[in-house]
Amino acid sequence: MTDNSIIDGIDYGPLAVLIGTWTGDNGLDVAPESDGIEQNPYYETITFEAAGDVTNAEQRTLSIVRYHQVVQRKSNDKVFHDQVGYWLWDPADNSIVECFTIPRGVAVVANGTLGEVDDPWQELVLEVRTDPGSDWIAQTPFMAANASTTGFAHRLTVRGDNMSYSETTLLDIYEQSGFEHVDENTLQRTG
Ligand code: HEM
């Protein structure tokens, strides 16, 4: 990768593009309710930080970008979604992983492959999903029984200082199977 993807001797490859603080106020959340759906306009801040690298089983060395996403409802400014996680990149095969947890007692591991990236500073598309039927989602017994997360897919695009994403979380909740809980926003790099 290019020199500006190297920080303190570690090559973050395409993930270096993420590093910084991003804010956006065009968010729209579609979430389940017992009598149907609710739509919540939101704003948010996501901070991405270089977090070193890690070697698994002496075989795979992954570069790590850590993030924290704080989402506030426009109608009352309350934080109604908080998420901490990591993006990982394996330079050996250009595979990526997003793993994260949310404070409902749910944790997700989603993966993808980058394919050819000409210049990530011009455009970078990160696309990850959980494998259908896999056990890459962990949740408390209460959530598994009452509000089960059954799948997750995320597409995040960065063009210079502009970011957009769309993510779909599949939920079994309120007698509905495969409810599409969708979140989308556009953000700008502010730091
Ligand atoms: C910007 C991102 C997100 C926002 C703004 C958001 C917001 C919401 C809202 C408003 C609800 C309805 C219940 C409530 O009012 O608390 C909800 C439910 C839920 N969300 Fe999210 N969510 C986001 C992302 C996610 C992600 C990434 C996951 C997991 C992978 C997730 C898992 C769930 C689950 C399991 C429920 C059902 C819990 C319940 O309603 O009792 N959400 N979310």
Side-chain angles (χ1 to χ4, degrees), residues 79-101:
V79 174
F80 73 134
H81 182 79
D82 189 294
Q83 185 172 320
V84 291
Y86 304 94
W87 284 92
L88 309 172
W89 173 61
D90 185 344
D93 61 3
N94 229 6
S95 59
I96 50 171
V97 175
E98 182 186 12
C99 52
F100 65 87
T101 188

Side-chain angles (χ1 to χ4, degrees), residues 29 31 38 40 80-81 102 104 143 149 169 171 181 183:
D29 167 68
E38 64 180 45
N40 304 292
F80 73 134
H81 182 79
I102 61 164
R104 293 182 187 274
M143 294 304 278
T149 300
T169 306
L171 300 176
H181 175 22
D183 291 282

Side-chain angles (χ1 to χ4, degrees), residues 28-33 38-40 42 44 67 69 71-73 80-83 100-102 104 106-108 137 139 142-143 146-149 151-152 165 167-174 181-185:
L28 185 64
D29 167 68
V30 178
E33 270 200 330
E38 64 180 45
Q39 297 203 19
N40 304 292
Y42 66 82
E44 68 181 319
Y67 72 84
Q69 177 183 20
V71 185
Q72 288 168 266
R73 219 188 272 264
F80 73 134
H81 182 79
D82 189 294
Q83 185 172 320
F100 65 87
T101 188
I102 61 164
R104 293 182 187 274
V106 179
V108 174
I137 298 166
Q139 51 199 326
F142 178 87
M143 294 304 278
N146 296 286
S148 179
T149 300
F152 174 79
Y165 71 82
E167 63 185 22
T168 302
T169 306
L170 297 178
L171 300 176
D172 287 351
I173 186 169
Y174 309 131
H181 175 22
V182 177
D183 291 282
E184 296 178 328
N185 201 1

